[in-house]
Each structure stands twice: as structure tokens, then as C-alpha cells.
């Protein structure tokens, strides 16, 4: 970044304190007040060094836009105000540029916004990394894995409408350029007990409600489900609908996401079938039944649900029914089968539902990993994102809370270790002396839980595996014996006397003092939940299913692979997973996001101090600040430090020419800051006390005000001088322009006056000349008139004797000549248009011109008709000849004729040569087709019509089937003797054939067409052209038609029809066909 570019520092325009390391005084109240102040101003992010505190705003804020992504891209961590994008960018750039594997640890209690924080981290990394088709596909698959896992692993709780009920760790793999290659997802401890039972006010996993709300009726029918939530015992009804959550739309989103991630259609179908089977398992109910030997056993009340489950999963109904009623125990070579009572049967049913759903979820994670894993084997850089449940303290805490809090103890342990390690490495890197920092080490609590001999998990496993009667009480007794003296373990029944009278601690509970506070656990259910026992009969029944997915979920059910060894307990599995996770995290550079929930109402603008204080304590945030401040509270590179404070020293202002460190040394010496308050590292300045930093900020603020005043003074002087010079220059310009304007006005006035004088003089001269010319003209005219009269007198004297003899005839001829001349001149100006249909003609002026007037009208009409005909092409002449022929044949004879005058004769209405449907018909006809039209052939038996293709060629008339194109009849034109039709407005016509001809075997054709006039005209002209004989066209409302050996009379009558304007034909008797024409 250029030195003159304006930067927005973490310290500029601060609301409260952006970095808690700088908080003064540092105590719990000031910590909470600072968070509240920032939260009230929509500042939901605050730093503790490089740790980000995120407070859930419970509403959308405009701070995650693409513009914000670009703003934080490639910027220093402390350069801008605190934001989750700053941490994401720092982690991504360290991975890309420094080749350091990264991990981002997101912790906090349910509802604090951990899942949203992980989505924001992934969306930011996806936005700033490379582009391209393959890269975009990888990014899309990584992002779309979230909706799938959320649907199957999240649920609505009293604290959060979208609470993650499992822990998720995703390793995103990048190549050397920083482009994503793929990823690997690990899941931890799905809360499978939620499948069979949910606390009041909470829901089961989202996917159950999404299927019932969003699946189509057909899809639900295939899954044998109904849309009504109340039909299923595993779904709590008090919170089935959640405000602001559209389960139907989310179901469509999940199906689309599964498709993008790479699930095949049959895989998606199989997954939903397993979900449906789990849902229907809850509807199986049992009733007690006594056997002859006195033992109780259970029977299924209604086997309809069992039948549908077996149909979904492909399991033999009798096998599954027996698995719910009997339990087989194998020991060495012996098998013992015992009956299950009702309570045991319900336990077996719920255990199967939990295992089925839990294994399906694990399979989903594995299947997603197959799709998103990196396809190349090159060395990869890895960024891990851990979204895991936070510390949980409820009124009733059980086994789930115990192992969740154990995981958080391990995360707190690695957090403190890595934070101290990071601090120590920075001190060593900068050459600063490291001093030991006192802090609470929670390793003693971790050892209490995970020690292989005396740990609580080890004793729980030992209790689950030992023979004899094992209960939760025996487990508590063992804890009281082994852990009684441990300083972080409390129990009323232990040997420690100080808890004997503690009434806040019930006898069936024990309490552990975690780093986040004391938590009381109810021992009830610990043994069963740790055992996580599924009867082998049920495993084997599942393995026998024809459903490929269910069969794959229960490999231990294979009789060929029977393992009598007891499966590992839930506690030992989780302990191993946590150990693997911790080992993975220690190999990466950590980045922390601590999520805080401001209130329990899930509402914006509400900040509950007590709730936030509780979370601050168990997240160890104050401890984190104290660790960070134990040495030096603030550190900054020399260049930005000098750039920020250089105005406080005359030697460094406005530009320092030497090294940045030397400039900082000069600056601090000038300000007389005590040497014990700071230390110089290799690349950074370290400031011990925040008060020193705030003193620098106050001095900078005062100096900036002084500089602003100086700049303002100089600017005002410059502005006034500039304005004065501008006004002076403007005055000169205005004066020059005004003088120019005044001279122009004076010139215009003189010029106008001169023009007026000139115009008056020219007018006087012109009038004088006009008078002279008029006088001269009158003189010339007078002389001419006198001469004319004189010459006329002389001529009359000379020709007087001749004039008297021929005067009458000459006057008549002269008058007649003048009238004819006037007539033709008027006709020239009144000629009508050249349109042949224009009947206008000028009126006759004189009676003696009557014959001439008519002859001229005739000649003009013939001439303009010839001019009009000369414009026709050969094709147009043929069309008009056909129209003329039609006029001669049908005008005033057929009522249908006037409607056909304006319609052009097209002939080929079917376009047989272009339509592939009539290829067979085209191949069968070699001649040129004159007309091709679909007609209706009238059946002589009942008068009903059948569609036929009517073809007219130069030599034949053909009728073909409309669907197949097969030729039904072919008649030479010579065999056509007559065409008959009615005079009414219908399209019926009969084609009469020559008796004895080959085509007349079936008789004449009675047809109906929408283009009757055109067909009859073309048939008439073609017959005349080929046979040199005129075809007889008979127009009559009653005519005879030959049908084989019988002659039938076709009679046309008027009548209103049910079919509107469509004529209908009906057979009255063997000799009469009646056509009703509207």
C-alpha cells in the first residue's frame, strides 16, 4: 500500500475497545460493558489479540457483502475494524504464502452462532481463492455439504432453532496456488438419543419434518408416509412448526445440495427410505403376553407398521418380528435365546432406531467425503474448520453433557498451550526476553476424566464390562471410592466429609469442578448410554435386508463374521476421536473464534449481562486476556507504527528518510516514554502497558487537531487569495466584454439607421421608375389597339364581298372547333385513375358529343386494362385464368362462390414433398401434384365422414389414407364424367365415374371439402387440358349418385344444426341421403 493511502486502523473511530488486550481497567465488569457497548452499536466482533469474539446479533447485518470481502482481502489483521473476515483472510494468506497448515476453532454454546460462523469462514475463503470451472465445482461441493449435514444433524432446541447436534471438523485441502482441491469431514458424537425422545419445546432432526412438509404426495406414498406430524410417535408436536422456518423449501434445498455434492438418484432414494423406516419404527407398540412357563414376553400390537417397514427395507417380516421379541446370547459354542418383556422390547426398538439413524449419518459423512476429497495426490496445504458444541451446563446434565464438557476441557487445554506457545515463539522471533506466565492449567481435570486407570471414563468402561449386576448406582459407588480425594470431584457419598451435608448435591449425582465452573451430573443413564447396546438379533435382521444401504450399515450382522468380542463403548470411542482431533490440531497453526449468545430469547438488541458473564467465564476469555497481557499488551510493526505517530516528532514529520526502526526510536526518545514501558524487537515495537498506547493515541489526537487547524488556516488563506485573484481576473474579463458589448450595440444602432434611410431612398426611386414604366406601357397598348382597329378596318374593306357569302359556315366550323378543343382539354384534366375497377368517368358536356364520349370511355378502359395485364407474371396470369374460369362456372349458381373470390388458389395445402409423414405417398406418385387437400369421404351406409387425402395430377385423381399414406383409389381423368354439387353454402360434391370403367367398381365418390370451388375449377381445367372435353359441372340441390349397383339420391335441405355452421349428412333410407345445410 502506498504511504499516502489512507488506512483505517483498529484504533480509529473505536466504539469501546476493539482489542480486549487494551482494556483498562481489566476486570469482568469492564469486559462485559465493553462488549455491550459495541453490541449496541452493531459491532458484533471484538479481538483478544488474534482471537475473535463473535456475539450473535440474531438478525442480518450488512457486513458480509462482496464489497466487505474485497475490503478485508489481503489486509493486515489489525488494519481494519474487528471482523471474522480479517481472521479468515489472515489464516488463508498464512496457508497460501507461508505454507503453514491452519485450523480455525469455533466454540461456544448452542445458539451462539457457531454454524453461521463456520459458513462465513468457508464463504470468505471460497470468494478470495482462485477461479475456474473445476475450482468452482470444488467450492460449490464444499459449500453445499453444509445443507445436507444440517438437515440430518441439526435440530430445533429451546436455545437455537438450528442447533448442531454433532461436532464437525472439516479439513479443506488447497494446492500450492491456494486453490481448493477438496476436503475431508469428521463428525463427533451425534446426539442420537434425540431420534427417540426430545425435551419439551424441542424438535427431532430437521430431515423428518422436511420430508413430511416438502415431499410430493407420490414420493410420500413410495415412502409409505403421511403428511400429518401427529401420526408419528418420534416427532414432538409442541414445536413441530418453527416461525421463520420453511421446511418444504429446505427439503428442496437439501435435495438440490445432495445432487450437487454427487449423490446418485438411487442413493438419495435409499437415504430417504432409511429415514422413513426410522420414523415408522416409533409407531411400533408392544403388548405383554404370558407364556406357559410363567415368563413374560411381548407381542406387537398392530403389525401393519411392521409390514410397511419390512416392505421399505426388504426384510422378512417374521425375522424382524422375532428380533423384537427374542434375544440370543452366544458364549463360546452355546446359544441361549430369551424372551423380551415389553420394556425390553421398547428398549430394543429405540436402540435400533438410534443405531440406524446414527449409522446413516456416518454413512452420509463418508459418502460426502468420497465426493469432495481431493482427486490429485500432490502435496496439499490444509485448513481445518472445527465447529463443535460448547460447554453445557443444564438443570439436568447426563452422559452427553459429560463427554461434551470433556471435549471442551481438551479444547481449552490446547487453546492455552497453543496461545502460550504462539506468544513465546513471537518473543523469541523478535528477540524479546520471555518471562514465565502464571495461568490455570486444566490438565488435572482432563486427567480426572481420561486417565487410563483412575479416570471416570475408564471406570465407566470397567463397570460396563464386568460380569454381574451393573447399575448406575454401582458406577457411582466406584467413583466415590477412587475419586473421593480428587480436588475437582465432589459427591455426597464419597469419603470426603465436607460434602456429606451439602444439600445442593443429591445422592444420585456427582459434581466436577471444570475450568468453566462446577457442573452436577445425574448418574442415571450413564451405563446404558455408554454401552450403546444393540442386540445381535437386530443387527443380523438388518444385515438380511435386501435394501443395499441398510445391509451395508450393519456389517457385524453377517453370520460369517460373527465377533463375540464386545464392541467398544461410546465413551472410549469418543475419547479416541478427541485424542485424534487434538493430535491433528497440534500440527496446525490455530485461529480462534469464540461465539457468545447475548440472550435466551433469540431476539436482537437484547444483551443479558448475567448470561454473557457465564459464557465469558466458561470460555476463559479473561484468562486469555491476562495471558496475552502478561508480557507486552500491544505490539506493532515499525512501519505502520511510524506512519501512525510520526506527526508527534518534528524530526519524523512529515517524512522520515531513514529505517523505520530508527524513526520509532527517535520518536519515543522525543516523547520521553520510560524505557521499561516498551521494548524494540527485530521487526516490531512492543508496548507493555495499554496506558502508554492510549497516551500515544491522546497525543496523536491532539496533534491531529492542531494539524487540522493549521491545514484549515492555510487552506482558508489559499482559498481567499484564489477567490480574490479569480474575482480580479473576472472583473477584467467582464469590463472587456461590456465595452465590446457597448460598441456592438452602438454599431448596430448606426447600421440600423443607415439601412432605414437607404430603404426609403430605394423605395422612392422604385416608385418613380414604376410610374414611368406604367405610363410607357399604357402608351404602347394604346398604339397597339389603334393599329389593330386600323388593320381590321382595312381587312374588312378588302374581304367584305367574300365574308358575306360564307359567314355562317365559317362561324359554325370555328365554334365547333373551339368547343371540341375545350372538350379535349377538359377531358385531359379530368381523366380517372388507371385502376380497371374504377368506374368513374367525367360527365358529358354537350349532347352532340354523346357517341364520341362513350367511345372514348370504352377505348380508355381497354387501354388501362391492357396496361394492368402487362404487369402480370405467367403465374399470376394462370391464377386469374383459374379465377375467371371459376367465375364462369359458379357465379350466381353456387352460394359458396362469393366467399372463395378473395381466397388465393394454393393447390398444395399439405406440402407432401416437405412433410416426412407423407414420404411413402410422395414416392408412390410420380406426376406433378396439382392439388393436395384433406377431404371427407361420405360413407354410403350411414352418412359418416372419413378423412382422405385428395390428390389431383395431370392424368389421375387419387384418394389416400390420411394416417398411413396408402393409396385407396386411383381414377384416370378420362373416367370422370361429371361433378355434381348443390347451389347452397356447403362443401359437398360428387365425382361421377364412367360406367364400366375399372375405377367405377365401388361407384361414385361423395366428398366434402373446405376448398370446393378451387378443387372443382382445377379438376375442370385439368380434364379439359388432358381430354380436350369439357367436364360437366351439375349444380342442383338434388342429384343421383351411383353406389356399386344402387343409385342413391342426395338431397340438400335447410335446417338449424346442433354442430353450428357445419353441414351434416344422414342416411334416411336405402335410396336417400339427406344433407342438412345451415
Amino acid at each position: 500500500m502506498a504511504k499516502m493511502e489512507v488506512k483505517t486502523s483498529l484504533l480509529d473511530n473505536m466504539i469501546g475497545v476493539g482489542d480486549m488486550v487494551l482494556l483498562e481497567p481489566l476486570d469482568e465488569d469492564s469486559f462485559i460493558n465493553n462488549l455491550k457497548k459495541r453490541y449496541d452499536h452493531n459491532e458484533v466482533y471484538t479481538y483478544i489479540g488474534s482471537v475473535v469474539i463473535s456475539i450473535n446479533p440474531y438478525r442480518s447485518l450488512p457486513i458480509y457483502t462482496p464489497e466487505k470481502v474485497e475490503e478485508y482481502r489481503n489486509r493486515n489483521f489489525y488494519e481494519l475494524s474487528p471482523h471474522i473476515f480479517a481472521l479468515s483472510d489472515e489464516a488463508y494468506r498464512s496457508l497460501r504464502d507461508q505454507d503453514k497448515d491452519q485450523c480455525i476453532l469455533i466454540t461456544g454454546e448452542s445458539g451462539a452462532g457457531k454454524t453461521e460462523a463456520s459458513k462465513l469462514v468457508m464463504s470468505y475463503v471460497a470468494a478470495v481463492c482462485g477461479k475456474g470451472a473445476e475450482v468452482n465445482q470444488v467450492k460449490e461441493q464444499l459449500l453445499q455439504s453444509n445443507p445436507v449435514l444440517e438437515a440430518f444433524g441439526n435440530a430445533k432446541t429451546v436455545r437455537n432453532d438450528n442447533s448442531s447436534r454433532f461436532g464437525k471438523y472439516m479439513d479443506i485441502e488447497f494446492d500450492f496456488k491456494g486453490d481448493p482441491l477438496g476436503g475431508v469431514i469428521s463428525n463427533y458424537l451425534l446426539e442420537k438419543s434425540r431420534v427417540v425422545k426430545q425435551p419439551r419445546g424441542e424438535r427431532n432432526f430437521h430431515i423428518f419434518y422436511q420430508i413430511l412438509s416438502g415431499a410430493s404426495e407420490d414420493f410420500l406414498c413410495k415412502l409409505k408416509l403421511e403428511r400429518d406430524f401427529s401420526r408419528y410417535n418420534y416427532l414432538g408436536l409442541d414445536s413441530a412448526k418453527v416461525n421463520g422456518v420453511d421446511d418444504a423449501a429446505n427439503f428442496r434445498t437439501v435435495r438440490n445440495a445432495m445432487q450437487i455434492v454427487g449423490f446418485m438418484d438411487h442413493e438419495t432414494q435409499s437415504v430417504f427410505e432409511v429415514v422413513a423406516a426410522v420414523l415408522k419404527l416409533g409407531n411400533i407398540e408392544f403388548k405383554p403376553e404370558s407364556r406357559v412357563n410363567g415368563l413374560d414376553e411381548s407381542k406387537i400390537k398392530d403389525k401393519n407398521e411392521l409390514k410397511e417397514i419390512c416392505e421399505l427395507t426388504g426384510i422378512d417380516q417374521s425375522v424382524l418380528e422375532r428380533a423384537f421379541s427374542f434375544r440370543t446370547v452366544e458364549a463360546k459354542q452355546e446359544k441361549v435365546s430369551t424372551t423380551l418383556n415389553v420394556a425390553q422390547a421398547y428398549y430394543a426398538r429405540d436402540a435400533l432406531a438410534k443405531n440406524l439413524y446414527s449409522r446413516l449419518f456416518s454413512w452420509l459423512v463418508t459418502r460426502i467425503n468420497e465426493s469432495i476429497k481431493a482427486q490429485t495426490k500432490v502435496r496439499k496445504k490444509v485448513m481445518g474448520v472445527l465447529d463443535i458444541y460448547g460447554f453445557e451446563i443444564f438443570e439436568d446434565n447426563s452422559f452427553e453433557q459429560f463427554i461434551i464438557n470433556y471435549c471442551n476441557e481438551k479444547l481449552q487445554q490446547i487453546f492455552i498451550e497453543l496461545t502460550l506457545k504462539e506468544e513465546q515463539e513471537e518473543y523469541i522471533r523478535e528477540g524479546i526476553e520471555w518471562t514465565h506466565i502464571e495461568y490455570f492449567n486444566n490438565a488435572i481435570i482432563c486427567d480426572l476424566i481420561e486417565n487410563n486407570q483412575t479416570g471416570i471414563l475408564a471406570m465407566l468402561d470397567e463397570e460396563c464390562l464386568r460380569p454381574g449386576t451393573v447399575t448406575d448406582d454401582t458406577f457411582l459407588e466406584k467413583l466415590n471410592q477412587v475419586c473421593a480425594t480428587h480436588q475437582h470431584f465432589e459427591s455426597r457419598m464419597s469419603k470426603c466429609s465436607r460434602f456429606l451435608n451439602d444439600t445442593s448435591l443429591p445422592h444420585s449425582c456427582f459434581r466436577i469442578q471444570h475450568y468453566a465452573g462446577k457442573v452436577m451430573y445425574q448418574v442415571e443413564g450413564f451405563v446404558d448410554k455408554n454401552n450403546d447396546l444393540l442386540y445381535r438379533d437386530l443387527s443380523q435382521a438388518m444385515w438380511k435386508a435386501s435394501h443395499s444401504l441398510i445391509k451395508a450399515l450393519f456389517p457385524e450382522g453377517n453370520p460369517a463374521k460373527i465377533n463375540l468380542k464386545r464392541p467398544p463403548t461410546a465413551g472410549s470411542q469418543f475419547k479416541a476421536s478427541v485424542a485424534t482431533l487434538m493430535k491433528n490440531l497440534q500440527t496446525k497453526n490455530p485461529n480462534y473464534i469464540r461465539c457468545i449468545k447475548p440472550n435466551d430469547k433469540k431476539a436482537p438488541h437484547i444483551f443479558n449481562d448475567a448470561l454473557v458473564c457465564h459464557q465469558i467465564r466458561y470460555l476463559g476469555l479473561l484468562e486469555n486476556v491476562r495471558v496475552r497481557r502478561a508480557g507486552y499488551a500491544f505490539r506493532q510493526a515499525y512501519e505502520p507504527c511510524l506512519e501512525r505517530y510520526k506527526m508527534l516528532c518534528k524530526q519524523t514529520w512529515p517524512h522520515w528518510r531513514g529505517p523505520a526502526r530508527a524513526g520509532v526510536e527517535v520518536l519515543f526518545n522525543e516523547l520521553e516514554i520510560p524505557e521499561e514501558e516498551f521494548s524494540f524487537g527485530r521487526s516490531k515495537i512492543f508496548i507493555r502497558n495499554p496506558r502508554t498506547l492510549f497516551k500515544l493515541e491522546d497525543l496523536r489526537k491532539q496533534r491531529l487537531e492542531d494539524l487540522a487547524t493549521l491545514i484549515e488556516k492555510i487552506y482558508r488563506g489559499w482559498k481567499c487569495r484564489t477567490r480574490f485573484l479569480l474575482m480580479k481576473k473576472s472583473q477584467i474579463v467582464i469590463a472587456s466584454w461590456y465595452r465590446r458589448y457597448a460598441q456592438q450595440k452602438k454599431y448596430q444602432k448606426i447600421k440600423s439607421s443607415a439601412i432605414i434611410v437607404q430603404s426609403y431612398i430605394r423605395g422612392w426611386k422604385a416608385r418613380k421608375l414604376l410610374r414611368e414604366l406604367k405610363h410607357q406601357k399604357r402608351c404602347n397598348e394604346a398604339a397597339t389597339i389603334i393599329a389593330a382597329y386600323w388593320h381590321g378596318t382595312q381587312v374588312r374593306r378588302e374581304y367584305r364581298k367574300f365574308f358575306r357569302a360564307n359567314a355562317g359556315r365559317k362561324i359554325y366550323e370555328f365554334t365547333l372547333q373551339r368547343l371540341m378543343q375545350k372538350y379535349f382539354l377538359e377531358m385531359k384534366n379530368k381523366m380517372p385513375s388507371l385502376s380497371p375497377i374504377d368506374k368513374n368517368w367525367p360527365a358529358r358536356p354537350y349532347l352532340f358529343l354523346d357517341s364520341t364520349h362513350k367511345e372514348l370511355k370504352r377505348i380508355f378502359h381497354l387501354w388501362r386494362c391492357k396496361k394492368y395485364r402487362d404487369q402480370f407474371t405467367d403465374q399470376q396470369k394462370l391464377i386469374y385464368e383459374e379465377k375467371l374460369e371459376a367465375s364462369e362456372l359458379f357465379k350466381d349458381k353456387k352460394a359458396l362462390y362469393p366467399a372463395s373470390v378473395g381466397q388465393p388458389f394454393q393447390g398444395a395445402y399439405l406440402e407432401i414433398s416437405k412433410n416426412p409423414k407423407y414420404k411413402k405417398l410422395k414416392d408412390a406418385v410420380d406426376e406433378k401434384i396439382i392439388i393436395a387437400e384433406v377431404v371427407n369421404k361420405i360413407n354410403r351406409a350411414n352418412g359418416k365422414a372419413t378423412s382422405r387425402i385428395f390428390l389431383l395430377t395431370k392424368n389421375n385423381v387419387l384418394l389416400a389414407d390420411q394416417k398411413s399414406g396408402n393409396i385407396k383409389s386411383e381414377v384416370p381423368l378420362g373416367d370422370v364424367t361429371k361433378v355434381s354439387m348443390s347451389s347452397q353454402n356447403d362443401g359437398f360434391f360428387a365425382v361421377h365415374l364412367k360406367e364400366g370403367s375399372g375405377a367405377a367398381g365401388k361407384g361414385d365418390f361423395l366428398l366434402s371439402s373446405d376448398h370446393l370451388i378451387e378443387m372443382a375449377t382445377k379438376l375442370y381445367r385439368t380434364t379439359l387440358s388432358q381430354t380436350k372435353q369439357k367436364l360437366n359441372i351439375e349444380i342442383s340441390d338434388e342429384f343421383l349418385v351411383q353406389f356399386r349397383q344402387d343409385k342413391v339420391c342426395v338431397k340438400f335441405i335447410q335446417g338449424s344444426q346442433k354442430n353450428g355452421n357445419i353441414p351434416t349428412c344422414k342416411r334416411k333410407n336405402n335410396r336417400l341421403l339427406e344433407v342438412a345445410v345451415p
Side-chain angles (χ1 to χ4, degrees), residues 437-492:
I437 299 174
E438 292 293 335
Y439 67 95
F440 171 69
N441 190 344
N442 67 338
I444 186 171
I445 303 175
C446 297
D447 186 68
L448 169 65
I449 299 173
E450 67 181 3
N451 188 284
N452 290 332
Q453 281 76 36
T454 60
I456 295 176
L457 286 175
M459 285 186 286
L460 181 59
D461 286 349
E462 183 179 333
E463 195 67 12
C464 291
L465 297 176
R466 76 175 178 82
T469 303
V470 177
T471 64
D472 296 320
D473 293 335
T474 60
F475 166 62
L476 183 59
E477 288 176 7
K478 191 158 192 171
L479 286 184
N480 292 332
Q481 293 173 5
V482 178
C483 304
T485 58
H486 198 286
Q487 58 182 341
H488 290 274
F489 179 83
E490 302 174 4
S491 172
R492 271 240 3 232

Side-chain angles (χ1 to χ4, degrees), residues 784-927:
T784 302
I785 291 171
I786 294 170
Y789 273 94
W790 169 251
H791 288 304
T793 303
Q794 293 295 322
V795 170
R796 282 191 297 274
R797 285 177 183 174
E798 180 71 26
Y799 290 95
R800 185 172 294 162
K801 56 184 176 181
F802 301 107
F803 179 74
R804 288 178 180 173
N806 301 308
R809 184 174 60 84
K810 288 191 182 229
I811 291 171
Y812 172 79
E813 290 177 354
F814 176 78
T815 303
L816 191 63
Q817 185 178 5
R818 293 299 296 168
L819 289 174
M820 291 292 290
Q821 185 180 10
K822 182 180 178 182
Y823 168 72
F824 283 116
L825 289 174
E826 288 179 352
M827 286 293 292
K828 177 183 177 183
N829 297 327
K830 296 180 181 179
M831 294 296 288
S833 66
L834 294 179
S835 173
I837 61 174
D838 186 359
K839 297 185 179 181
N840 294 326
W841 186 251
R844 181 193 64 194
Y846 306 107
L847 183 61
F848 74 91
L849 291 175
D850 184 59
S851 59
T852 303
H853 192 70
K854 291 180 179 178
E855 186 64 20
L856 280 176
K857 179 179 179 181
R858 187 184 67 81
I859 293 172
F860 176 76
H861 181 69
L862 292 175
W863 173 77
R864 66 183 178 182
C865 287
K866 182 179 183 304
K867 294 288 286 183
Y868 185 77
R869 289 195 301 273
D870 290 344
Q871 299 174 6
F872 291 167
T873 63
D874 293 340
Q875 183 67 26
Q876 289 176 320
K877 287 179 180 179
L878 181 61
I879 292 173
Y880 280 103
E881 285 176 2
E882 289 181 345
K883 285 289 184 180
L884 183 61
E885 193 79 60
S887 174
E888 294 176 356
L889 291 173
F890 302 109
K891 185 176 181 182
D892 299 330
K893 299 176 183 178
K894 177 71 174 173
L896 189 65
Y897 170 73
S900 70
V901 173
Q903 299 176 354
F905 290 172
Q906 298 181 14
Y909 289 96
L910 297 183
E911 296 184 346
I912 290 177
S913 60
K914 297 180 181 178
N915 195 333
K917 177 181 177 182
Y918 302 120
K919 184 177 182 305
K920 182 177 180 181
L921 182 59
K922 178 189 172 185
D923 295 340
V925 179
D926 297 332
E927 300 175 292

Side-chain angles (χ1 to χ4, degrees), residues 152 258 267-275 360 363-364 549:
F152 287 86
M258 293 178 76
E267 291 178 325
T268 305
Q269 179 70 23
S270 298
V271 168
F272 289 134
E273 286 172 352
V274 174
V275 173
L360 172 65
W363 181 87
L364 279 171
L549 177 56

Side-chain angles (χ1 to χ4, degrees), residues 93-108:
R93 286 192 292 114
S94 296
L95 175 137
R96 182 192 63 193
D97 302 336
Q98 302 176 21
D99 203 18
K100 292 181 180 178
D101 288 349
Q102 304 289 316
C103 65
I104 298 177
L105 280 69
I106 307 172
T107 56

Side-chain angles (χ1 to χ4, degrees), residues 206-217:
H206 291 327
I207 190 62
F208 296 114
Y209 305 93
Q210 291 174 358
I211 287 180
L212 297 182
S213 299
S216 64
E217 294 293 342

Side-chain angles (χ1 to χ4, degrees), residues 775-791:
H775 177 71
Q776 185 180 354
K777 181 180 180 183
R778 283 196 296 270
C779 291
N780 291 336
E781 287 178 350
T784 302
I785 291 171
I786 294 170
Y789 273 94
W790 169 251
H791 288 304

